[in-house]
Amino acid sequence: MKKAFLLSTVLVSTGAVAAPNPSFSEIRLGFEAIDYSEKLDNVAGITGLEQSASVTNPTIRQLSYTGIDDNWGYYIGSAATIATAIDTEVWTATEFGQVQQNDFKIKANEIALSMAYNLTKATQITFGARIHTSSFTRSSFKLGPDAGKFDEAIKALGEGDELPRFDLPGQRKDSTDVLADNPSYLTPVISITEDQMGILGAVGIRYDSRLADAFNDASWYVETELTTPFYSRTQNTSIESVTLTDSFNGWGVMARAGVRYQVKEHIALMVGVDAQYKERDKISEEIDGRRRTVPNIEFKNLSFSAGLQWSY
């Protein structure tokens, strides 16, 4: 009997040690506020150029965690824009003022895979990779109130009859042409699209009270993560048949937090906040004797969402 009792104790103890962390999946719907800005410090040697735009889009967020054992697990997450809103984007030349405005819309998608190592039952170090994509469209281009001054400064850089000009997309003016918007029949059909993709390395830390106490009705989590692009790629329809690439040309930070409440044994209601900030340096390449450049960018995404979590 004593031997049987000792054997059963060892088996129970071993099973407890080997038991993985609780696993779960979650899905949330909500809204994201995206702020996007670009900046070039030197345009034609006479000025800087920058813009900014902000849109609010519906979004979906998903996350799943699988516990491998009491030390290791992994996360698979995704985020996606459901539909896009439109904002008016204003371009400002540092030395001249507002030179252009246009409609702007943007969407962002991401998928992430991270390994997680438990420092404590509820605190984890995470490391892995993210694939982040964003795509924007510009349309309905119009001259800004200070476009004339900018155009005159550009013309002063040339000589003879063929002078450089400030052109809106779809235009190619001669030196004597009057500075003007595109005809009304062309304005709705001229647009520029840019697709950005980055493969990001990521390392972070996460605290989740549910991993420490799976039987508590209320739980909360907080997480932060640093990223850098191993590889980035940009395609812009204004640069014909060219893909610009670079590596380790930026950085980013992600943070999220949320609370949950169990309504059934394995089902919880939850609300969460996700925030992301990233920068990418300009990419410039000499191709067929011409310098092709996409500017420095700043990307901010703040989302509020609610949904369900189910554990297993």
Side-chain angles (χ1 to χ4, degrees):
M1 287 293 292
K2 190 172 183 179
K3 290 182 179 179
F5 174 76
L6 288 173
L7 180 60
S8 63
T9 302
V10 170
L11 290 174
V12 171
S13 176
T14 302
V17 171
N21 287 325
S23 300
F24 61 82
S25 296
E26 63 188 44
I27 184 169
R28 292 176 284 139
L29 295 172
F31 290 91
E32 62 183 6
I34 297 179
D35 296 328
Y36 180 86
S37 62
E38 295 183 351
K39 183 177 181 179
L40 281 172
D41 294 324
N42 188 341
V43 177
I46 60 174
T47 188
L49 186 65
E50 59 186 23
Q51 61 70 235
S52 62
S54 301
V55 296
T56 300
N57 301 324
T59 184
I60 183 170
R61 310 268 160 166
Q62 296 173 290
L63 182 70
S64 66
Y65 173 74
T66 301
I68 300 173
D69 55 32
D70 57 348
N71 287 324
W72 290 94
Y74 62 89
Y75 289 93
I76 298 176
S78 64
T81 299
I82 298 175
T84 54
I86 297 176
D87 185 35
T88 299
E89 179 181 52
V90 176
W91 292 82
T92 301
T94 309
E95 307 297 327
F96 302 97
Q98 297 181 6
V99 297
Q100 179 183 302
Q101 69 178 46
N102 52 265
D103 289 346
F104 177 88
K105 62 181 182 178
I106 187 171
K107 60 182 178 180
N109 300 291
E110 188 170 85
I111 185 167
L113 173 62
S114 297
M115 295 299 299
Y117 178 79
N118 282 67
L119 297 176
T120 68
K121 190 67 175 174
T123 305
Q124 299 173 315
I125 293 290
T126 61
F127 55 93
R130 294 174 172 267
I131 298 176
H132 178 94
T133 64
S134 59
S135 178
F136 65 73
T137 300
R138 294 182 168 117
S139 58
S140 300
F141 298 94
K142 297 179 181 178
L143 295 170
D146 302 303
K149 293 185 293 182
F150 186 40
D151 184 51
E152 290 298 321
I154 293 176
K155 287 168 66 177
L157 299 175
E159 296 179 356
D161 295 333
E162 294 187 6
L163 299 180
R165 299 294 303 273
F166 174 53
D167 292 326
L168 293 175
Q171 294 182 346
R172 188 173 179 83
K173 292 187 289 292
D174 293 329
S175 59
T176 56
D177 289 341
V178 176
L179 190 67
D181 290 333
N182 284 316
S184 58
Y185 65 87
L186 282 181
T187 299
V189 298
I190 296 175
S191 65
I192 292 176
T193 298
E194 181 170 299
D195 295 324
Q196 303 170 359
M197 187 275 286
I199 300 175
L200 314 176
V203 60
I205 187 167
R206 177 183 172 98
Y207 179 89
D208 192 334
S209 67
R210 183 161 177 77
L211 296 180
D213 185 1
F215 300 99
N216 197 329
D217 285 343
S219 61
W220 61 279
Y221 64 90
V222 62
E223 179 179 3
T224 187
E225 191 174 74
L226 294 174
T227 63
T228 188
F230 293 149
Y231 172 81
S232 61
R233 186 187 74 174
T234 302
Q235 294 177 321
N236 188 298
T237 55
S238 67
I239 306 175
E240 302 88 349
S241 304
V242 172
T243 298
L244 302 179
T245 62
D246 207 343
S247 300
F248 299 101
N249 60 328
W251 67 279
V253 61
M254 181 277 293
R256 56 186 168 206
V259 294
R260 319 179 190 93
Y261 186 80
Q262 298 295 130
V263 293
K264 296 289 185 180
E265 182 180 359
H266 296 290
I267 298 177
L269 298 176
M270 65 179 301
V271 294
V273 179
D274 298 64
Q276 184 182 36
Y277 174 87
K278 71 184 186 77
E279 294 183 3
R280 189 208 65 199
D281 298 334
K282 75 175 183 180
I283 305 175
S284 186
E285 294 184 21
E286 189 84 20
I287 299 174
D288 296 331
R290 297 180 62 186
R291 175 63 58 179
R292 307 289 192 171
T293 301
V294 289
N296 305 320
I297 68 166
E298 272 189 7
F299 177 91
K300 304 173 186 175
N301 189 324
L302 179 64
S303 76
F304 298 88
S305 55
L308 293 174
Q309 183 196 74
W310 54 98
S311 54
Y312 41 86

